[in-house]
């Protein structure tokens, strides 16, 4: 097929926008489904025996019996003092002359320095030690073992290192009393081992986060990291600080299961500091109170002699964190939120929270929950504009808004998906007009604190995870172009999500596929240690690592397409340009960056005219593409879609390049 022709003219001397904010390409962490399990480095689950014994009587959650004794008894008993969850009792009978303990399936990697093995336990005095082992379940090969001497009858924390000889994706962790132990006659108070906590943490983890996730996130150059999501409307921050043993096990009211107690405020801040990004924290305005939110601000920003600052110092963090950006309310307009209310009620609530939080630290910036429905936004800013720095939007784009479903021809669905920036443009334009309507609103900026593509409802997804596709990357890249074009108003963006969580997570971890949340068992791929990026991961990485100053004027001549919506659509969907283009120049004026997204299903032979920026030289062209717009990355093929770099020689201020169908490009020229 002969490529279509296109022309892009860039006028690098004509700036048309404000400085592009470094927080525009931010990301988002949420305690949703498997996000934390996938993100954190702990291979064991149910580490505090918090679950019930639905599978095996007397055994918590994921734990299984490990014994050859016919009389071994398991029971869940009260946890140690000030601890949460249960303690796990293993009762051994001398007559069995066997071993007894607990086990759990794990995936481990080679660790010559040794996993940090933490254990909180007590035992009857005849039990002098326990063994911890990791074995290959398939071959029985011993991959690592250690002995833990129990030095008393009372509860005690034990810590040691457990080296692992090689990677093993089908391993088993065992903790048990071996058969070679002192025998006893008294069956009333002897032969008992209680375990209150067991955890493994690889030596290369950073702040409890997987090294692979940390490295990939660092490469994203996020600028800002948001802690928020549906769970936050029932989240009480004090439950996630202090000694982890003493943090309560709390039900995640938004998503089910347990709230992850191993990634609280201090861990989040450490995560941000490791990445050199600005933290953004969303407070609980659902079941929480203004006083609680103000205390959270003081915990993060107060001096060590303030009430909450002293608590932070007692937890090992003397210096204030200096968290500047705080969001009040996450999708409060949604009935799925704890504390759901109408705009008038939220406005009054917001003012109370804002006043309390500003009293704790007058220097913070506050984000108010906005919506794509402008009547909500109008009410909120009319009543509370003086207390707001940013109004938030959540922009999720999918073909159901066009009246389409899985039976609609896929090319029609494709066109609908890549119309994403038109919908974003419509929402931003309406907010811009609203802000211009009254000088009280002139200071307001926009923070798009969640955005992504959406396909089918979360609870019925089957088959391939569609959000992983090149199609989604094309839609998300075009949407980022719209953010850049509106950089005078839009300063903050948070892609949803960072790791797994739901099908939008741009970093994927092994068998923590979110599509397994319904109907598939963990372990089906056999590659639980594989960590990889989706096509959109490479888009986010590509955009965020460019040297950008401000937008410059550009003009594109190309073919067009139309979205055949079955229901009335908000923006105009006729004659949409095949190429979505925005050009930027850096602060020094010596680097031109042109973002080009080919939304068409046809390739385009494209002439880029530089209008005197550079007469000749070498252009660098970054390309994200594949043979099929439904191509995905997976544990089996983690690099099917990635970013490739080319060099193009040019003369007479004109660069010619071939833009493949449904692909993302960035051209850089330095003079």
């Amino acid at each position: 097929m002969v490529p279509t022709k296109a022309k892009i003219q860039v006028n690098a001397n004509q700036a048309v926008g404000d400085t592009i904010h470094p927080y525009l390409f931010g990301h988002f962490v949420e305690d949703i489904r498997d996000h934390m399990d996938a993100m954190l480095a702990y291979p064991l689950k149910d580490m505090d025996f918090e679950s019930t014994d639905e599978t095996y009587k007397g055994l918590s959650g994921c734990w299984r019996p490990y014994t050859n004794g016919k009389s071994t008894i398991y029971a869940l008993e009260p946890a140690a003092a000030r601890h949460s969850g249960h303690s796990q009792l293993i009762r051994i009978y001398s007559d069995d002359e066997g071993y007894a303990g607990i086990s759990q399936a794990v995936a481990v990697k080679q660790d010559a320095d040794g996993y940090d093995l933490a254990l909180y336990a007590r035992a009857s005095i005849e039990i002098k030690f326990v063994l911890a082992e990791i074995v290959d379940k398939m071959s029985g090969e011993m991959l690592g073992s250690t002995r833990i001497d129990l030095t008393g009858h009372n509860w005690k924390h034990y810590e040691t290192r457990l080296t692992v000889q090689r990677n093993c994706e089908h391993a088993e962790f065992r903790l048990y009393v071996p058969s070679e132990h002192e025998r006893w006659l008294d069956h009333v108070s002897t032969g008992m081992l209680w375990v209150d906590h067991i955890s493994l943490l690889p030596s290369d983890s950073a702040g409890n986060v997987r090294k692979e996730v940390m490295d990939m996130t660092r490469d994203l150059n996020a600028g800002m990291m948001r802690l928020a999501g549906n769970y936050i409307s029932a989240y009480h921050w004090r439950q996630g600080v202090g000694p982890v043993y003493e943090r309560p096990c709390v039900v995640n009211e938004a998503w089910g299961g347990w709230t992850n107690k191993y990634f609280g405020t201090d861990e989040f801040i450490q995560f941000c500091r490791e990445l050199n990004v600005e933290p953004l924290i969303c407070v609980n305005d659902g079941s929480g109170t203004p006083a609680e939110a103000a205390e959270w601000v003081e915990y993060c920003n107060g001096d060590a002699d303030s009430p909450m600052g002293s608590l932070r110092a007692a937890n090992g963090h003397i210096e204030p964190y200096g968290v500047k950006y705080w969001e009040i309310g996450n999708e409060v307009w949604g009935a799925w939120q704890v504390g759901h209310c109408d705009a008038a009620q939220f406005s009054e609530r917001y003012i109370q929270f804002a006043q309390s939080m500003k009293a704790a630290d007058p220097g913070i910036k506050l984000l108010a929950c906005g919506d794509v429905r402008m009547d909500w936004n109008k009410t909120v800013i009319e009543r509370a504009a003086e207390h707001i720095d940013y109004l938030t939007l959540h922009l999720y784009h999918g073909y159901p808004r066009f009246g389409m479903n899985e039976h609609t021809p896929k090319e029609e669905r494709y066109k609908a998906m890549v119309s994403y920036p038109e919908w974003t443009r419509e929402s931003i334009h309406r907010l811009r007009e609203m802000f211009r309507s009254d000088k009280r609103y002139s200071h307001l900026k926009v923070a798009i604190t969640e955005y992504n593509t959406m396909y089918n409802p979360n609870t019925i997804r089957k088959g391939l995870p569609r959000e992983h596709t090149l199609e989604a990357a094309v839609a998300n890249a075009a949407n980022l172009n719209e953010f850049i074009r509106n950089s005078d108003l839009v300063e903050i963006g948070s892609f949803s999500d960072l790791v797994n969580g739901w099908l939008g997570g741009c970093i994927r971890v092994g068998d923590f596929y979110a599509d397994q949340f319904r109907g598939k068992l963990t372990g089906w791929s056999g590659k639980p240690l594989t960590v990889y990026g989706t096509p959109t991961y490479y888009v986010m990485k590509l955009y965020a690592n460019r040297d950008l100053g401000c937008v410059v004027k550009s003009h594109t001549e190309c073919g067009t397409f139309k979205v055949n919506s079955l229901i009335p659509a908000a923006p105009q969907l006729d004659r949409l340009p095949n190429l979505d283009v925005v050009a930027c120049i850096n602060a020094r004026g010596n680097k031109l960056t042109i973002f080009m997204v080919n939304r068409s299903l046809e390739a385009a032979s494209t002439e880029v005219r530089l209008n005197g920026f550079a007469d000749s030289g070498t252009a660098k062209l970054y390309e994200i593409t594949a043979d099929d717009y439904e191509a995905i990355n997976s544990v089996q093929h983690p690099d099917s879609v990635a970013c490739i770099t080319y060099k193009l020689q040019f003369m007479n201020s004109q660069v010619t390049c071939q833009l493949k169908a449904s692909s993302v490009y960035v051209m850089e020229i330095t003079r």
Side-chain angles (χ1 to χ4, degrees):
M1 182 180 294
V2 178
T4 61
K5 301 290 186 180
K7 294 181 180 180
I8 300 171
Q9 181 172 294
V10 179
N11 298 304
N13 296 322
Q14 297 184 34
V16 294
D18 290 355
T19 300
I20 297 167
H21 205 284
Y23 300 158
L24 197 62
F25 307 111
H27 285 265
F28 164 42
V29 295
E30 175 182 6
D31 195 353
I32 171 176
R33 297 179 182 163
D34 65 347
H35 184 122
M36 295 299 180
D37 284 342
M39 174 180 166
L40 298 185
Y42 297 103
L44 289 171
K45 299 180 181 179
D46 204 14
M47 296 184 291
D48 298 287
F49 306 96
E50 61 267 24
S51 301
T52 56
D53 58 351
E54 292 183 1
T55 305
Y56 285 89
K57 183 178 180 181
L59 275 168
S60 176
C62 299
W63 294 98
R64 299 293 180 261
Y66 181 67
T67 182
N68 64 345
K70 65 179 182 179
S71 304
T72 303
I73 292 176
Y74 296 91
L76 294 176
E77 296 199 347
R82 299 189 304 278
H83 289 206
S84 59
H86 307 100
S87 66
Q88 179 69 65
L89 168 66
I90 303 121
R91 186 170 184 182
I92 309 161
Y93 283 83
S94 183
D95 291 345
D96 285 343
E97 298 186 359
Y99 59 83
I102 52 178
S103 66
Q104 186 177 137
V106 292
V108 292
K109 58 186 182 180
Q110 182 178 4
D111 196 333
D113 293 327
Y115 278 73
D116 179 25
L117 170 58
L119 177 69
Y120 201 80
R122 65 181 291 258
S124 51
I125 61 173
E126 291 85 358
I127 298 177
K128 305 298 185 183
F129 68 95
V130 293
L131 297 181
E133 298 174 349
I134 295 177
V135 300
D136 185 328
K137 285 173 59 179
M138 309 299 289
S139 68
E141 177 189 357
M142 181 71 66
L143 303 177
S145 64
T146 188
R147 168 176 165 148
I148 303 170
D149 291 317
L150 304 180
T151 57
H153 184 243
N154 293 325
W155 286 111
K156 186 175 179 180
H157 172 82
Y158 299 91
E159 196 162 351
T160 187
R161 303 210 75 86
L162 179 58
T163 58
V164 177
Q165 296 176 5
R166 62 172 175 81
N167 289 5
C168 184
E169 294 165 317
H170 298 285
E172 183 174 80
F173 171 80
R174 300 166 179 169
L175 180 86
Y176 65 100
V177 178
S179 57
E180 299 81 16
H181 59 255
E182 181 180 346
R183 298 296 162 183
W184 49 81
L185 298 177
D186 182 1
H187 293 296
V188 176
S189 60
T190 55
M192 296 184 184
L193 171 67
W194 290 266
V195 182
D196 185 77
H197 169 91
I198 309 177
S199 62
L200 290 170
L201 195 62
S203 61
D204 64 0
S205 63
N208 300 344
V209 177
R210 293 174 187 262
K211 180 182 184 299
E212 299 84 356
V213 169
M214 184 65 78
D215 290 345
M216 290 188 68
T217 305
R218 186 176 290 109
D219 289 344
L220 285 170
N221 192 29
M224 175 174 276
M225 189 67 64
R226 174 178 181 251
L227 180 70
N230 289 0
Y231 86 104
I232 216 76
S233 65
Y235 177 77
H236 300 283
W237 68 270
R238 293 192 70 164
Q239 297 171 345
V241 299
V244 292
Y245 287 167
E246 298 179 15
R247 297 180 188 181
C249 296
V250 179
V251 170
N252 185 328
E253 295 184 35
W255 299 108
W258 298 104
T259 296
N260 193 297
K261 61 190 264 186
Y262 292 89
F263 195 79
T265 303
D266 299 312
E267 290 80 15
F268 172 66
I269 297 299
Q270 183 180 356
F271 182 59
C272 292
R273 296 294 182 258
E274 290 274 353
L275 298 170
N276 193 30
V277 300
E278 187 75 19
L280 163 62
I281 294 177
C282 184
V283 301
N284 174 3
D285 80 319
S287 62
T289 65
E292 180 184 25
E295 287 180 339
W296 202 355
V297 173
E298 185 178 272
Y299 182 86
C300 290
N301 298 350
D303 293 333
D305 58 358
S306 65
M308 292 298 104
S310 64
L311 176 61
R312 182 194 66 244
N315 290 333
H317 309 280
I318 297 175
E319 295 300 319
Y321 292 141
V323 178
K324 185 176 181 180
Y325 294 87
W326 295 82
E327 187 175 356
I328 301 174
N330 179 84
E331 299 179 1
V332 183
W333 32 263
W336 51 89
Q337 296 294 320
V338 175
H340 160 65
C341 63
D342 62 29
Q345 292 170 317
F346 172 71
S347 301
E348 298 307 311
R349 184 192 302 173
Y350 175 88
I351 292 172
Q352 295 174 25
F353 272 75
Q355 290 174 335
S356 293
M357 294 167 70
K358 284 275 191 175
D361 183 352
I364 61 176
K365 296 287 187 181
L366 294 179
L367 290 70
C369 175
D371 190 16
V372 292
R373 296 171 301 156
M374 294 300 145
D375 56 341
W376 172 281
N377 298 329
K378 186 173 186 293
T379 298
V380 170
I381 65 174
E382 280 180 349
R383 299 184 179 216
E386 290 77 11
H387 302 275
I388 301 172
D389 296 297
Y390 294 84
L391 192 69
T392 70
L393 289 179
H394 287 184
L395 302 177
Y396 288 104
H397 182 69
Y399 56 72
R401 76 186 337 165
F402 303 90
M404 300 178 182
N405 56 39
E406 64 275 16
H407 303 297
T408 305
K410 68 178 186 178
E411 289 190 6
E412 291 301 314
R413 284 182 280 152
Y414 173 86
K415 293 175 184 178
M417 293 306 301
V418 298
S419 72
Y420 197 172
E422 275 67 40
W423 293 81
T424 298
R425 183 180 306 120
E426 176 76 11
S427 295
I428 295 174
H429 171 73
R430 294 177 70 186
L431 274 184
R432 188 185 295 277
E433 292 300 307
M434 187 179 295
F435 292 173
R436 287 174 174 171
S437 69
D438 192 316
K439 63 181 181 181
R440 291 176 56 227
Y441 312 149
S442 61
H443 67 287
L444 294 175
K445 298 292 184 180
V446 175
I448 301 174
T449 52
E450 290 185 32
Y451 65 93
N452 205 339
T453 53
M454 297 278 289
Y455 289 82
N456 300 320
N458 292 349
T459 55
I460 63 170
R461 287 181 175 134
K462 300 292 182 184
L464 290 179
R466 290 290 304 281
E467 276 82 351
H468 296 185
T469 59
L470 176 63
E471 173 189 48
V474 169
N476 280 314
N479 187 55
L480 285 175
N481 285 356
E482 193 61 30
F483 290 3
I484 294 170
R485 282 189 284 266
N486 289 277
S487 56
D488 63 318
L489 186 62
V490 181
E491 291 190 349
I492 294 173
S494 298
F495 180 80
S496 172
D497 286 330
L498 178 65
V499 183
N500 289 30
W502 63 291
L503 290 178
C506 71
I507 298 174
R508 310 301 303 180
V509 177
D511 284 326
F512 288 94
Y513 266 124
D515 59 327
Q516 294 185 354
F517 187 69
R518 291 288 185 270
K520 293 182 180 178
L521 295 175
T522 299
W524 71 276
S525 78
K527 296 182 178 291
L529 296 178
T530 302
V531 181
Y532 64 96
T534 67
T536 295
Y537 170 85
Y538 292 101
V539 167
M540 298 300 299
K541 178 181 175 181
L542 180 61
Y543 273 63
N545 283 284
R546 308 277 60 81
D547 182 9
L548 306 180
C550 64
V551 176
V552 295
K553 188 174 181 179
S554 63
H555 175 72
T556 303
E557 297 177 14
C558 62
T560 62
F561 68 97
K562 176 183 179 181
V563 178
N564 297 309
S565 178
L566 302 178
I567 57 178
Q572 176 56 250
L573 299 176
D574 292 329
R575 297 187 60 78
L576 302 182
N578 288 342
L579 301 187
D580 190 301
V581 178
V582 63
C584 307
I585 196 165
N586 66 348
R588 290 179 293 173
N590 68 336
K591 180 173 286 187
L592 182 66
T593 302
I594 307 168
F595 298 95
M596 303 174 291
V597 181
N598 186 1
R599 302 188 289 180
S600 171
L601 294 174
E602 297 180 354
S605 178
T606 305
E607 295 179 359
V608 181
R609 298 178 180 178
L610 305 176
N611 280 15
F613 176 79
D615 180 66
S616 62
T618 302
K620 186 179 290 186
L621 185 69
Y622 300 90
E623 176 187 70
I624 299 173
T625 190
D627 293 334
D628 183 354
Y629 63 80
E630 292 186 321
I632 68 168
N633 291 337
S634 67
V635 288
Q636 291 86 2
H637 304 287
D639 301 315
S640 295
V641 182
C643 185
I644 301 173
T645 306
Y646 301 95
K647 291 184 178 180
L648 303 175
Q649 301 297 319
F650 68 92
M651 296 180 63
N652 302 321
S653 299
Q654 181 173 303
V655 188
T656 300
C657 54
Q658 304 298 317
L659 305 184
K660 296 179 181 178
S662 55
S663 300
V664 179
Y665 293 87
V666 174
M667 181 180 290
E668 282 185 344
I669 303 167
T670 303
R671 63 181 179 187

